[in-house]
Amino acid sequence: TLLYTIKFELPSMYAAPRIYGDLEKSEPDISMYKMKPIYDHLSDNLGSCSSELEARQEKCLSDLEMLMKRVEKLQTECSGSKSDGSSKKLDLVIGCSVGSPAVYTAAIMARKVNCLIKVFSHSSNKKEVDSTITDKLHKINQHDSDYFGLNLIYKDVSAPYFMAYPGRQIAVSGLGNILRYISRHQGFASLYNENQLEAAALVDEILSLVDSLEQRITGATSSDIGQLLNQIAGYLKSGPYLADQSLTIADIALCSCLAAMDPNTIPNSLKAYLTNCVKAHYELKVLKAFLPDWRKQ
């Protein structure tokens, strides 16, 4: 038996080229895919650039919050129905003296509710009304809302008060009562949740102290005010907010009082607290228009 070994050689036209041959000989050029570190240009001037980035971040968050409000408003208008909570329209009269913390409370809650403010001066008011503050109040939500939900009246009164549905209710006094009513009316459970009895009781306790502070801002001695401020500041030892790990109407009331006070009478811990609250919450950012430069830091 003869065994034959036959060797076939295909013509070069049929030979399959080695598609990776060139890559095996040399490393691929991937420099086009390399990204330059985005923070390289910050290394020389990190301090000023970090503050600039922080300012940009704060503006972005503010713009995002404003955009979300507009989207929510458009959704409500397109659906033709309104849900419970912040979609309810407010119709409230707040009476207070010129320079009262209730002025800043009205500004904060107008931003929260997304309504406009009207400002009046009653015949009983003998104090000069600051037109710059009035202009700032009028500008709140002027491009985002089309209804007036808060009517602020300057009067000669010892404590701020409110009347819901003007002309059909007896006035109820107290900064705490104003905030409780708005939270209940608008369904702001995150600010004041009556179903959580212990948390609500703590908020009420702090509000009573803040109401006392509001009454002492004008006329009381600096030592009396300092003692009360230190008592309120004691609630901040367990967290960044007075009554919880989140913002409540107790914080809004205190920030309103601090905004109306002489900064020289405020402890540094409460100055830092006010600054942090204003930076962290959209509705409290409205205070930046009213606060001196030292409280914008």
Side-chain angles (χ1 to χ4, degrees):
T1 302
L2 297 177
L3 298 177
Y4 295 95
T5 302
I6 301 175
K7 181 178 180 183
F8 293 94
E9 292 186 4
L10 294 174
S12 61
M13 63 180 292
Y14 297 108
R18 297 177 63 185
I19 61 176
Y20 296 108
D22 293 338
L23 294 179
E24 291 177 348
K25 296 178 182 179
S26 61
E27 292 294 330
D29 183 11
I30 61 171
S31 60
M32 62 181 293
Y33 301 109
K34 294 181 179 181
M35 295 180 64
K36 185 178 180 180
I38 62 176
Y39 293 112
D40 275 358
H41 66 286
L42 299 177
S43 58
D44 296 333
N45 196 10
L46 184 58
S48 60
C49 290
S50 62
S51 61
E52 182 181 349
L53 288 173
E54 185 177 329
R56 289 180 180 178
Q57 181 187 30
E58 184 176 339
K59 184 179 184 302
C60 288
L61 290 174
S62 178
D63 292 344
L64 178 60
E65 185 76 21
M66 190 175 300
L67 180 61
M68 290 173 64
K69 279 182 171 289
R70 291 181 179 177
V71 170
E72 183 179 353
K73 179 183 176 183
L74 288 173
Q75 288 176 336
T76 301
E77 291 175 351
C78 293
S79 64
S81 61
K82 293 183 177 181
S83 59
D84 292 336
S86 60
S87 64
K88 291 182 180 179
K89 285 195 172 182
L90 193 65
D91 186 11
L92 196 69
V93 170
I94 296 178
C96 65
S97 60
V98 173
S100 168
V103 175
Y104 305 104
T105 298
I108 295 168
M109 298 314 291
R111 174 61 61 85
K112 179 72 174 177
V113 175
N114 193 26
C115 70
L116 302 174
I117 301 177
K118 285 184 178 180
V119 182
F120 305 92
S121 181
H122 191 265
S123 59
S124 66
N125 175 47
K126 304 304 180 184
K127 297 181 180 179
E128 182 179 357
V129 177
D130 189 338
S131 59
T132 59
I133 291 181
T134 301
D135 291 341
K136 292 172 183 178
L137 291 171
H138 285 161
K139 289 179 181 179
I140 297 172
N141 299 325
Q142 65 176 353
H143 299 301
D144 302 315
S145 183
D146 56 0
Y147 88 99
F148 291 90
L150 282 172
N151 299 280
L152 186 67
I153 304 177
Y154 291 122
K155 297 182 71 174
D156 184 16
V157 290
S158 59
Y161 69 88
F162 79 91
M163 288 192 299
Y165 309 105
R168 291 186 288 167
Q169 193 181 42
I170 298 174
V172 179
S173 299
L175 201 61
N177 284 328
I178 294 172
L179 287 164
R180 286 189 194 93
Y181 174 82
I182 296 176
S183 297
R184 289 164 178 158
H185 184 275
Q186 298 299 119
F188 294 148
S190 62
L191 293 179
Y192 185 66
N193 191 348
E194 292 180 302
N195 294 325
Q196 296 180 359
L197 300 180
E198 186 176 353
L202 179 57
V203 171
D204 291 337
E205 177 181 294
I206 299 172
L207 281 174
S208 66
L209 293 174
V210 178
D211 280 338
S212 297
L213 175 64
E214 188 273 333
Q215 293 294 299
R216 288 172 169 79
I217 288 179
T218 56
T221 62
S222 58
S223 60
D224 290 339
I225 293 177
Q227 189 175 14
L228 191 53
L229 285 173
N230 289 332
Q231 186 177 355
I232 295 173
Y235 289 93
L236 294 171
K237 292 180 179 179
S238 59
Y241 301 101
L242 290 171
D244 201 349
Q245 294 303 310
S246 61
L247 188 80
T248 66
I249 57 175
D251 297 291
I252 293 176
L254 179 57
C255 288
S256 299
C257 286
L258 295 178
M261 293 177 61
D262 179 355
N264 295 323
T265 63
I266 302 175
N268 290 332
S269 60
L270 289 180
K271 288 181 181 179
Y273 158 80
L274 175 61
T275 300
N276 293 334
C277 285
V278 169
K279 284 185 176 181
H281 298 278
Y282 172 75
E283 59 268 44
L284 285 170
K285 290 183 189 298
V286 73
L287 291 180
K288 284 189 173 184
F290 302 93
L291 298 176
D293 292 339
W294 68 269
R295 280 178 271 187
K296 293 181 182 178
Q297 301 300 322

